[in-house]
């Protein structure tokens, strides 16, 4: 299922957050990211998998390497069929949370990565896609 | 003492807490309780969190650590966070987390010095 450079895992327990961090770390290191970027990517993945576990109960994380003209990147997608986010704009504000969290997860993950796209429909679920680019020198 | 992957070692009046590299949420939650209980049992005046082995600190971990610092303060204990890696310091700050006025040190050695000085100052002013 998990070929080099990509894979998918189900997130439904607290321990899956740890497993997701491990998988993402391996993928980022294999692509050649430096220690600081690896830490950034793993931390963003930790926030987003915890969001799945806390708000939706279960979901899926997918990762793959992507190629662009100047180099390669790592793309992570977090998808759930949970309650969705009623106010996406507010959810992106630091300090805003509908749960018991700090409200750091979504805005923090966005700052740690190069790109982030979020799609959410109340009652349908949430998909968050994040990317980090690795420039070729 | 070892609680799962957490080790708490008593050195004089200080508890030295070593955190595993990639702890799950349960381990992080247990850490808080075990550390505060150990503080009471050993009548410790100071805590050092050795974070040098930790390779990721997300918002849950950071919140639990900063909470524990406040809780320890309520029990009369002074905490120093020691040995945070550069990559972790960069990431937690960019994530948007702030440690407030928590004491920090580059490594455990310097944390011992810092805590020793701070505790002596407290004693002499008491």
């Amino acid at each position: 299922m998990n070929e080099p450079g990509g894979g998918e895992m189900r997130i439904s327990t607290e321990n899956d957050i740890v497993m997701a961090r491990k998988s993402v770390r391996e993928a980022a290191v294999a692509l050649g990211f430096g220690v600081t970027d690896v830490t950034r990517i793993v931390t963003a993945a930790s926030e987003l998998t915890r969001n799945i576990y806390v708000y939706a109960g279960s979901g899926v994380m997918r990762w793959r390497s992507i190629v662009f003209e100047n180099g390669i990147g790592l793309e992570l997608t977090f998808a759930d069929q949970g309650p969705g986010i009623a106010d996406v704009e507010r959810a992106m504000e630091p300090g805003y949370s509908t749960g018991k969290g700090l409200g750091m997860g979504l805005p923090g993950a966005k700052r740690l990565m190069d790109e982030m796209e979020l799609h959410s429909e109340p009652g349908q679920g949430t998909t968050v896609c994040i990317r980090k680019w690795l420039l070729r020198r | 003492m070892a609680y799962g992957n957490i080790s708490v070692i008593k050195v004089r009046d200080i508890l030295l807490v070593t955190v595993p590299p990639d702890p799950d949420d349960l381990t992080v939650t247990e850490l808080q309780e075990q550390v505060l209980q150990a503080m009471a049992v050993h009548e410790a005046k100071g805590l050092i969190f050795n974070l040098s082995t930790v390779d990721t600190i997300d918002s849950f971990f950071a919140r639990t650590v900063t909470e524990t610092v406040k809780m320890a303060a309520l029990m009369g204990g002074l905490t120093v966070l020691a040995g945070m890696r550069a990559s972790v310091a960069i990431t937690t700050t960019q994530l948007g987390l702030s440690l407030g006025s928590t004491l920090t040190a580059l490594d455990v050695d310097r944390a011992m010095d810092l805590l020793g000085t701070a505790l002596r100052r407290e004693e002499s002013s008491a």
Side-chain angles (χ1 to χ4, degrees):
Chain A
M1 182 178 74
N2 297 338
E3 75 264 21
E8 152 173 349
M9 66 170 285
R10 194 175 150 71
I11 309 295
S12 60
T13 68
E14 211 170 74
N15 192 54
D16 290 339
I17 302 172
V18 180
M19 299 313 291
R21 286 202 293 256
K22 281 204 174 81
S23 300
V24 169
R25 177 174 296 276
E26 278 168 21
V29 169
L31 277 178
F33 281 101
V35 62
T36 303
D37 272 344
V38 169
T39 308
R40 286 188 180 109
I41 299 166
V42 171
T43 305
S46 189
E47 297 297 329
L48 297 174
T49 46
R50 183 173 292 103
N51 277 358
I52 290 180
Y53 172 69
V54 170
Y55 293 101
S58 66
V60 174
M61 176 184 81
R62 291 183 204 95
W63 66 97
R64 64 186 185 115
S65 56
I66 39 177
V67 181
F68 73 123
E69 49 191 21
N70 295 316
I72 49 172
L74 181 61
E75 181 184 83
L76 307 172
T77 308
F78 304 82
D80 67 62
Q81 270 114 50
I85 301 169
D87 191 339
V88 171
E89 237 171 81
R90 285 205 74 188
M92 289 306 299
E93 285 174 16
Y96 177 78
S97 177
T98 58
K100 282 188 273 180
L102 287 171
M104 289 294 170
L106 283 176
K110 188 178 181 183
R111 266 197 304 275
L112 292 174
M113 302 298 285
D114 292 326
E115 288 169 25
M116 174 160 135
E117 287 134 35
L118 190 153
H119 300 282
S120 189
E121 287 285 332
Q124 304 283 306
T126 302
T127 302
V128 184
C129 184
I130 53 176
R131 283 176 217 102
K132 192 85 180 170
W133 300 108
L134 185 63
L135 295 175
R136 276 197 194 116
R137 304 202 177 173
Chain B
M1 294 154 278
Y3 310 99
N5 294 320
I6 312 156
S7 95
V8 181
I9 298 161
K10 190 179 179 244
V11 186
R12 297 190 182 174
D13 288 342
I14 295 166
L15 291 182
L16 178 60
V17 183
T18 299
V19 185
D22 194 17
D24 60 13
D25 291 3
L26 186 68
T27 305
V28 172
T29 309
E30 274 175 2
L31 175 123
Q32 181 171 78
E33 225 175 291
Q34 306 290 9
V35 165
L36 295 174
Q37 273 170 12
M39 252 192 84
V41 169
H42 298 287
E43 299 177 7
K45 291 175 181 158
L47 278 179
I48 295 174
F49 275 99
N50 178 10
L51 300 171
S52 63
T53 52
V54 175
D55 43 38
T56 329
I57 296 187
D58 64 5
S59 61
F60 180 80
F61 192 170
R63 179 179 58 174
T64 310
V65 170
T66 49
E67 266 181 14
T68 310
V69 173
K70 285 180 193 163
M71 292 165 180
L74 285 176
M75 296 169 67
L78 201 57
T79 307
V80 181
L81 305 183
M84 190 186 285
R85 293 182 190 172
S87 55
V88 175
I90 291 168
T91 302
T92 47
T93 305
Q94 288 181 341
L95 187 63
L97 300 162
S98 152
L99 295 173
S101 56
T102 308
L103 293 174
T104 59
L106 190 62
D107 54 38
V108 171
D109 225 29
R110 288 175 168 92
M112 293 289 283
D113 286 347
L114 183 64
L115 211 42
T117 311
L119 290 175
R120 270 196 303 278
R121 198 184 304 131
E122 258 184 25
E123 267 171 25
S124 62
S125 68

